[in-house]
Amino acid sequence: MELDGIEGVPSMDVMDEEDKTLQRHCQFPSISKPRINNNDNPTTTSVHELLECPVCTNSMYPPIHQCPNGHTLCSSCKTRVDNRCPTCRQELGDIRCLALEKIAESLKLACKFCTFGCPEILPYYSKLKHESACYFRPYTCPYAGSDCPVDGDIPFLVSHLRDDHKVDMHSGCTFNHRYVKANPCEVENATWMLTVFHCFGQYFCLHFEAFQLGMAPVYMAFLRFMGDETDARNYSYSLEVGGNGRKLIWEGNPRSIRDNHKKVRDSHDGLIIQRNMALFFSGGERKELKLRITGRIWKEQNKQ
């Protein structure tokens, strides 16, 4: 669905040799590594290479399996290789490499998101769980018009939205937007637009979407915070739409962009306007959608 007209009026208000330390590596190397076989010398093989599955190249966690010749692989890949060692083709059986599991237990490594600011040094077996919810893990692009694969930190995503998606950028904590659609009967789960606001030193994404709720076409506006969920709770926002002497008001906390826009939309966490009501607000002969949505963002005074 394309927009026929928009008016935006914002108000300004690890180790290659054993004598090198583990701490030099922030994450497992992503480059291809030599596979372990009978000719490999364990004294010259890095710990990370020993713990890398030769099939999927991911880090291995208990149970770590090995063949009679000592070649290892992870439990997930054991079922994928028809119980045959991918290196020597010997039958795998159910032999565990307890020595390698013990070595891994003694390791402490930096979070792979250290380059994004994470200071944590973690036991090997705790690292994966930490990284799945690390505060410093990159964010995915919040653009709603497509499933954009780009991720990064907030400053990078702001530039990406502006330069690659040509998103409108505004400064200020209040806004006044007019959405116009010549044929409001065309509602095909379409996203209309995304606008980014900068206030309180933070960035917020204002979404306006049209989709089917059951059999009924609806319009929905909601705000997302470009940051973590814990920080999003420090802010609140309100949205208001009306006309012909009537109005609807929504107030709540913005959702973090950790939640994608479809998740927010499907939870109905925002200002929802039924089409009949939207046409009533638009006035005229109810053949053209003309919605003016105003709103503001504020920081909760009892939050730091």
Side-chain angles (χ1 to χ4, degrees), residues 76-262:
S76 297
C77 290
K78 183 175 182 289
T79 59
R80 298 166 53 191
V81 297
D82 298 323
N83 204 37
R84 291 284 178 180
C85 174
T87 304
C88 67
R89 306 307 299 166
Q90 287 287 315
E91 187 174 348
L92 286 169
D94 292 309
I95 309 171
R96 284 178 62 174
C97 188
L98 299 178
L100 190 54
E101 292 179 10
K102 196 69 176 179
I103 291 173
E105 188 177 351
S106 68
L107 292 178
K108 287 191 176 181
L109 305 172
C111 173
K112 73 176 182 180
F113 301 123
C114 63
T115 54
F116 288 94
C118 182
E120 297 292 334
I121 304 296
L122 306 150
Y124 182 82
Y125 292 145
S126 301
K127 185 171 179 284
L128 198 62
K129 181 179 180 180
H130 164 83
E131 289 170 350
S132 68
C134 179
Y135 179 88
F136 296 93
R137 69 194 188 277
Y139 298 88
T140 56
C141 174
Y143 189 69
S146 63
D147 292 327
C148 180
V150 172
D151 62 13
D153 58 15
I154 298 304
F156 172 81
L157 288 180
V158 170
S159 298
H160 166 68
L161 288 169
R162 181 189 63 235
D163 301 335
D164 298 327
H165 292 298
K166 311 302 180 184
V167 168
D168 288 336
M169 302 280 178
H170 298 289
S171 295
C173 58
T174 62
F175 46 89
N176 184 341
H177 279 259
R178 187 167 180 255
Y179 301 95
V180 179
K181 182 62 181 166
N183 185 1
C185 293
E186 295 180 357
V187 177
E188 299 289 344
N189 288 314
T191 297
W192 278 28
M193 70 173 299
L194 169 68
T195 306
V196 173
F197 292 90
H198 182 230
C199 57
F200 305 108
Q202 306 290 342
Y203 290 91
F204 301 82
C205 297
L206 176 64
H207 297 261
F208 188 83
E209 303 192 1
F211 62 99
Q212 295 284 151
L213 183 58
M215 298 297 293
V218 299
Y219 307 98
M220 181 176 176
F222 57 90
L223 198 73
R224 288 198 293 164
F225 174 74
M226 294 190 69
D228 205 69
E229 181 182 355
T230 54
D231 297 323
R233 298 191 191 105
N234 293 327
Y235 302 91
S236 295
Y237 75 103
S238 64
L239 296 173
E240 181 178 313
V241 62
N244 287 329
R246 307 288 189 273
K247 65 181 177 180
L248 293 175
I249 299 175
W250 167 267
E251 186 174 307
N253 298 113
R255 297 279 286 270
S256 165
I257 60 171
R258 296 278 188 213
D259 293 333
N260 65 47
H261 81 103
K262 291 181 181 179

